[in-house]
């Protein structure tokens, strides 16, 4: 968590920060999540922002807030790779001259080395998967992938935790970079004896990499392929919990 030393807060603001995508479906999903968070917490000003492609940028959203606001930047990221470690702290630093007090939350997935995954995230994954097919005997947790080795390990941690949570064998898959893709992971589970493997989606929004993972999983014989997490209630609660923790810290530092 990092905070900028600025002006004491008035109305809390929560700025969701997505990676951004050329695929318009991604922005639609992000805006839907922002609306869902606002419905859950109508006392907050909730805005969506993007690091790339779509706009607005997070710094522009922060600059548009009333003077004296306190704001939480919530990364809509499941791993703490380059964007989480470099880009977002740079936004907080750039916001220092603004008349708002800014705090940065952790990403939504597990931190490197922590080994713990939020039960809300596990419940969100299951909600998407259970809607499709409740009778499974193995699961692949498919993610976008990253060149960051530590971030890849957190995805593997999440896959292992999800398998333990469901009580079935689990494997990890990546749509890009190193590691097996979703189809290869499904094939390996079937070779190990699984008859009804499924693909859970470690994606917040649809896009090319999700489409690739879903296609290869189906081609390999997955009996179910979950949709991206989107605005499922458990994810809304996880975003709100992340924001609450930072807003409380910002308020205390302003006292």
């Amino acid at each position: 968590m990092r905070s900028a030393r600025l002006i004491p807060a008035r109305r809390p603001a929560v700025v969701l920060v997505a990676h951004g995508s050329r695929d318009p479906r991604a922005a639609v999903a992000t805006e839907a999540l922002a609306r869902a968070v606002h419905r859950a917490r109508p006392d907050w000003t909730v805005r969506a922002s993007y690091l790339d492609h779509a706009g607005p940028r997070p710094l522009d959203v922060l600059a548009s807030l009333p003077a004296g606001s306190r704001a939480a930047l919530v990364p809509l990221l499941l791993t703490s790779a380059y964007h989480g470690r470099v880009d977002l702290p740079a936004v907080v630093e750039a916001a220092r001259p603004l008349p708002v007090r800014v705090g940065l939350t952790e990403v939504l997935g597990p931190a490197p080395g922590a080994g713990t995954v939020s039960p809300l995230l596990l419940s969100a994954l299951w909600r998407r998967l259970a809607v499709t097919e409740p009778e499974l005997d193995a699961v692949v947790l498919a993610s976008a992938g990253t060149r960051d080795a530590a971030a890849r390990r957190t995805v593997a941690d999440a896959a292992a935790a999800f398998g333990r949570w469901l009580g079935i064998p689990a494997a990890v898959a990546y749509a890009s970079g190193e590691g097996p893709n979703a189809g290869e992971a499904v094939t390996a589970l079937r070779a190990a004896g699984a008859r009804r493997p499924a693909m859970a989606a470690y994606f917040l929004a649809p896009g090319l990499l999700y489409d690739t993972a879903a296609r290869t999983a189906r081609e390999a014989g997955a009996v179910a392929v979950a949709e991206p997490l989107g605005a499922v209630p458990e994810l809304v609660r996880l975003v709100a919990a992340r924001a609450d923790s930072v807003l409380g810290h910002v308020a205390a530092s302003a006292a």
Side-chain angles (χ1 to χ4, degrees):
M1 182 191 313
R2 306 165 182 86
S3 61
R5 296 183 58 190
L6 301 170
I7 294 173
R10 292 191 298 190
R11 179 176 175 81
V14 173
V15 181
L16 308 184
V17 188
H19 178 276
S21 171
R22 294 185 180 88
D23 191 320
R25 295 175 298 167
V28 170
T30 301
E31 296 291 342
L33 178 57
R35 290 193 298 272
V37 173
H38 179 64
R39 286 194 298 271
R41 294 298 301 267
D43 54 315
W44 290 347
T45 296
V46 183
R47 298 286 184 269
S49 66
Y50 306 89
L51 292 169
D52 200 1
H53 301 299
R57 298 291 182 260
L59 188 61
D60 294 334
V61 175
L62 292 172
S64 73
L65 297 175
S69 295
R70 55 194 169 102
L73 287 180
V74 182
L76 297 185
L77 303 171
L78 291 167
T79 62
S80 184
Y82 186 85
H83 292 302
R85 290 186 291 101
V86 177
D87 287 342
L88 283 165
V91 171
V92 174
E93 183 63 27
R96 285 182 177 274
L98 299 176
V100 295
R101 187 174 291 271
V102 182
L104 174 61
T105 81
E106 301 295 336
V107 299
L108 301 179
T116 57
V117 184
S118 168
L120 288 171
L121 182 54
L122 298 176
S123 295
L125 291 167
W126 173 238
R127 180 183 289 271
R128 280 300 194 206
L129 195 55
V131 166
T132 309
E133 174 59 66
E135 298 296 331
L136 308 171
D137 61 4
V139 65
V140 170
L141 185 66
S143 72
T146 173
R147 289 174 292 182
D148 188 302
R152 281 198 307 276
R153 286 193 291 272
T154 68
V155 182
D157 289 342
F162 194 45
R164 290 192 298 270
W165 198 72
L166 296 176
I168 58 177
V172 66
Y174 308 95
S176 65
E178 296 182 24
N181 65 34
E184 292 166 343
V186 169
T187 297
L189 287 173
R190 291 178 67 86
R195 294 179 177 274
R196 299 186 62 78
M199 188 199 93
Y202 206 56
F203 292 84
L204 296 174
L208 177 61
L209 293 178
Y210 167 77
D211 290 345
T212 298
R215 174 181 55 79
T216 60
R218 289 191 183 100
E219 289 173 350
V223 299
V225 171
E227 294 293 321
L229 294 171
V232 296
E234 294 86 356
L235 190 68
V236 171
R237 289 165 57 197
L238 178 56
V239 168
R242 289 284 196 267
D244 259 327
S245 64
V246 164
L247 289 171
H249 172 80
V250 168
S253 66

